Amino acid sequence: PESGESAAIELSPIERAWIEAHPVIRVHNEKDWPPFNYFEYGTPRGLSIDYMNLVTGKLGIEVEYVTGPSWNEFLGMVKQKDLDVMLNIVKTEDRQKYILYTEPYVKNPNVIVSSQESPYETIQALYGKTVAFPKGFFYEEVLTKSFPRIKRLPVEDTLASLKAVTFGKADAAVGEAAVIRTLIRKNMLAGLQISGEVKLGNPDLTNLRIGVRDDWPLLQSVLMKAMAAVTPEEMTQIRQKWLADDVETTPPKTAAPVSYQRLIIYGFAVFLILTLLAWILIRSIRRENIAVSFGSSWFRGLVLAGLSVFVLIVAFLGWYMLERNKTEYLLNVDENLRGVISVSEDRLDLWLKERTSYLARLGRDPELVAITKRLLQVEPNKRALLASSALKEARVFFQNTVDIFRNIGFFLINPDHVSIGSMRDANLGTSNLISKQHPELLQQAFEGKVGFVPPMTSDVDLVNSTQSDNARKPPTMFFIGPVQDADGRILAVMTLRVDPWKDFARALKSIGGSRESYAFDRNGVMLSSSRFEDQLRRIGLLAEDQNSALNIEIRDPGGNMVEGYRPDIERSQQPQTQLVARSLALRQQMETAGIRQGHSPVGSNIEGYRDYRGVPVFGAWLWNADLDIGLAVEVDVDEALSNYYRTRVTIFSILGFTLLLSVGAILFVLIIGERTSQALMRARDNLEKKVTERTAELRKLSQ
């Protein structure tokens, strides 16, 4: 019977029949490739295992894990159809001959491992050196084709490659960052370090995918649909479990809180030093002079000097602990923001590739090709198109075609950029909306490229036709690709309209607090919806009927508008926020370097800057070249450091109370000592007076 999950995924009848005929699939399980895929305590474990269990659970498919063979042997089993699925596999040209790939589900950068005595930082530095790697891994194919000057040493697995470096059999090893770190720590391989990044020229080589035997395309199809149904929360939970660098929490965790134990130890040490000095001082004073010395000005000066030193030491310790604690908090905030932006990028990358892959397949559908040929024979004007049976067939085709994502409209565009197919009559026979706003993307589609049209102003009214002509119109976006016949000839271009808020914005969802993730274009205009829309309306940046997407320029107003600041200059004249300016600089760097795919390095700021509301924030950012958009994640400074502020108040309270007691006690002792000294001095004076008087009396009597 069909599960609720698989029903929600909307499988085709052919796909449901395939699952019923194949209720169990054989999936590879590594012996030792943590944290992604390994065997421990008698069971398969790792991120890839959990992800596969989640995906197949949504389909109602049972998994039989196969453990024991080496990676190279697993590849041979897939070729021979003795294995159905391989996890955490990188797509290469050779493997595509016998493996079907899903879109990536996680990224894992490739790194160089070498000894601490002889580190190698780049792949070029390894020319003439021996490099170890697991036999059958994609490194063998890449190094053989692109880096023949490097001596290759294929070994059994990743752990064996690390041991080869440890025992001098290889100068370095190459592997995946998370796996290398885990194995070095787990096996206590002292003397090894990650010394550099492997830059192989193809950013796709960091993507880990699911690989399917090439005679089961329906398994590939259902797996991709189930992967698209994995929610951001589910993926985050898996990453939190296995990849510490990708933990996503709000607010940032209180990593490395202030050590009150260490603070107490420091304070106790100062107390012992002062006590020792006091004991030495007291020992140096003759007992009969202690009381007198307590009241002397030099003694009071000495005590007050010592008290001043004590206060300074305690103040320094407090300042040192606070600064150290703040640094740890800020590093944690930075790590958190970078982790969140990486998760957002992974979500968006998977979202994009799933949909473009689907659109490429749909563009070759024989039924759509036949409909398009008939539409192209119709006169490209509204009346003729509405009267044609081909238009009705096209509308039925797209209404019944629901796969990875639900479209809310379509276009078929002829070579003259005229819309010859659409769900709405008003578009027919007119120059297409995309040709007006993004003609370069339409041209690329006619050249055979499947792509994405970033959110832009829609040609559909916001609510209904009763609104005024000046009513704001919502953003819309499309996936775009060619319609090709069996000979590969491009007949027309097809687009599918997507609802940004139900699809695109889902990949940028923020969770809790003041942290938000958003996207923006090359002009610094926000493409996704702000989580602060009510706030933006209160401060006048949005009208009551406006959505923030496409209506907010990400500029620095010069002050905190939430707290009442109002800028003197127009919004269009204000500078872009630091985040946008630095993101666009990354975009320029990628263009200069000729990079047209992937994303830039992640940038971050934990010193603080103003966001588009003027609120002080910390942030992280990157530029996505595939979509030509920037991604950002920001958190209010006050929220990010709220735990630090509470810690600071606690420390100040403890130290202040300690200083109050210490100073009070010392001053009390000084006052009592001075009064005692004065009383003793008066008594001494009286005694001396009486002695003098008595002596005089005795002298008179003796005369």
Side-chain angles (χ1 to χ4, degrees), residues 671-683:
I671 293 172
I672 295 300
E674 183 176 2
R675 291 181 178 179
T676 302
S677 177
Q678 290 174 353
L680 289 173
M681 292 178 70
R682 285 196 298 271

Side-chain angles (χ1 to χ4, degrees), residues 191-207:
L192 295 185
Q193 65 173 353
I194 294 178
S195 54
E197 183 179 358
V198 180
K199 296 182 179 180
L200 301 172
N202 182 0
D204 192 43
L205 296 177
T206 64
N207 291 322

Side-chain angles (χ1 to χ4, degrees), residues 393-407:
E393 293 172 356
R395 289 176 172 178
V396 170
F397 176 85
F398 283 103
Q399 283 175 336
N400 295 333
T401 304
V402 178
D403 201 291
I404 287 179
F405 63 98
R406 187 183 299 276
N407 67 78

Side-chain angles (χ1 to χ4, degrees), residues 442-501:
L442 191 58
Q443 183 58 40
Q444 290 172 9
F446 274 107
E447 293 171 359
K449 181 178 179 180
V450 179
F452 168 76
V453 181
M456 60 184 182
T457 302
S458 175
D459 56 348
V460 183
D461 287 338
L462 182 64
V463 180
N464 53 50
S465 59
T466 63
Q467 282 190 305
S468 67
D469 293 337
N470 295 325
R472 291 279 182 173
K473 295 178 179 179
T476 186
M477 64 184 188
F478 300 86
F479 283 92
I480 185 170
V483 178
Q484 297 176 277
D485 63 15
D487 297 326
R489 291 176 299 180
I490 297 175
L491 307 175
V493 163
M494 165 188 60
T495 72
L496 294 184
R497 187 190 296 263
V498 183
D499 187 336
W501 318 133

Side-chain angles (χ1 to χ4, degrees), residues 33 45 57 64 76 82 91 107 267 388 394 422 452 465 511 596 629 682:
W33 209 64
R45 296 168 57 81
E64 175 188 328
D82 295 326
K91 182 167 69 173
K107 291 179 181 290
S388 70
S422 174
F452 168 76
S465 59
I511 305 174
R596 297 289 183 267
I629 63 173
R682 285 196 298 271

Side-chain angles (χ1 to χ4, degrees), residues 167-451:
F167 298 118
K169 296 180 180 179
D171 298 297
V174 288
E176 288 78 2
V179 178
I180 295 296
R181 284 194 295 267
T182 303
L183 288 175
I184 288 177
R185 182 175 62 251
K186 181 179 177 181
N187 294 277
M188 295 182 289
L189 297 173
L192 295 185
Q193 65 173 353
I194 294 178
S195 54
E197 183 179 358
V198 180
K199 296 182 179 180
L200 301 172
N202 182 0
D204 192 43
L205 296 177
T206 64
N207 291 322
L208 301 185
R209 306 167 184 265
I210 297 175
V212 179
R213 49 190 281 187
D214 62 351
D215 62 334
W216 279 7
L218 286 174
L219 177 57
Q220 177 201 30
S221 175
V222 298
L223 286 176
M224 288 183 64
K225 289 184 178 180
M227 290 168 69
V230 173
T231 66
E233 292 76 16
E234 289 172 329
M235 194 63 204
T236 297
Q237 185 177 8
I238 293 176
R239 296 190 67 154
Q240 283 177 333
K241 179 179 178 182
W242 297 105
L243 299 178
D245 289 341
D246 287 332
V247 172
E248 184 176 350
T249 56
T250 302
K253 295 191 299 182
T254 311
V258 63
S259 173
Y260 295 106
Q261 181 180 5
R262 190 161 57 233
L263 188 60
I264 292 172
I265 291 173
Y266 290 158
F268 185 68
V270 172
F271 173 76
L272 288 179
I273 293 173
L274 293 176
T275 302
L276 179 61
L277 291 175
W279 179 79
I280 294 174
L281 180 63
I282 292 173
R283 290 280 296 179
S284 66
I285 303 174
R286 289 183 298 173
R287 292 189 178 184
E288 62 271 20
N289 293 332
I290 289 178
V292 176
S293 299
F294 256 65
S296 65
S297 58
W298 73 267
F299 186 83
R300 288 197 302 272
L302 183 63
V303 171
L304 289 175
L307 180 60
S308 300
V309 172
F310 174 72
V311 170
L312 290 174
I313 291 175
V314 171
F316 173 77
L317 288 175
W319 170 83
Y320 173 76
M321 293 299 298
L322 284 172
E323 286 299 309
R324 178 170 177 174
N325 195 245
K326 184 177 183 179
T327 299
E328 291 171 344
Y329 268 97
L330 290 175
L331 290 175
N332 182 59
V333 170
D334 185 65
E335 180 181 5
N336 181 270
L337 291 174
R338 287 175 174 271
V340 173
I341 201 75
S342 295
V343 170
S344 297
E345 167 63 20
D346 287 348
R347 292 175 183 170
L348 207 56
D349 188 53
L350 180 59
W351 174 86
L352 172 67
K353 291 180 178 178
E354 284 171 345
R355 285 149 180 76
T356 53
S357 177
Y358 164 65
L359 199 67
R361 297 198 306 270
L362 190 63
R364 295 183 176 89
D365 187 287
E367 183 181 354
L368 177 61
V369 170
I371 292 172
T372 302
K373 287 180 178 179
R374 288 195 290 273
L375 269 174
L376 287 169
Q377 295 173 0
V378 178
E379 191 71 25
N381 62 69
K382 182 176 180 179
R383 178 177 296 180
L385 290 167
L386 285 173
S388 70
S389 60
L391 176 63
K392 298 182 179 64
E393 293 172 356
R395 289 176 172 178
V396 170
F397 176 85
F398 283 103
Q399 283 175 336
N400 295 333
T401 304
V402 178
D403 201 291
I404 287 179
F405 63 98
R406 187 183 299 276
N407 67 78
I408 58 173
F410 77 95
F411 281 125
L412 286 173
I413 308 166
N414 71 11
D416 295 324
H417 297 186
V418 174
S419 299
I420 59 174
S422 174
M423 284 295 186
R424 290 180 294 110
D425 296 347
N427 296 123
L428 296 173
T430 63
S431 180
N432 186 263
L433 171 70
I434 299 173
S435 71
K436 299 175 182 178
Q437 299 194 37
H438 290 286
E440 75 285 357
L441 297 179
L442 191 58
Q443 183 58 40
Q444 290 172 9
F446 274 107
E447 293 171 359
K449 181 178 179 180
V450 179

Side-chain angles (χ1 to χ4, degrees), residues 112 121-128 147 149-150 197 199:
I112 300 169
E121 297 182 358
T122 65
I123 195 74
Q124 289 76 16
L126 295 172
Y127 288 166
F147 302 94
R149 293 170 60 185
I150 295 176
E197 183 179 358
K199 296 182 179 180

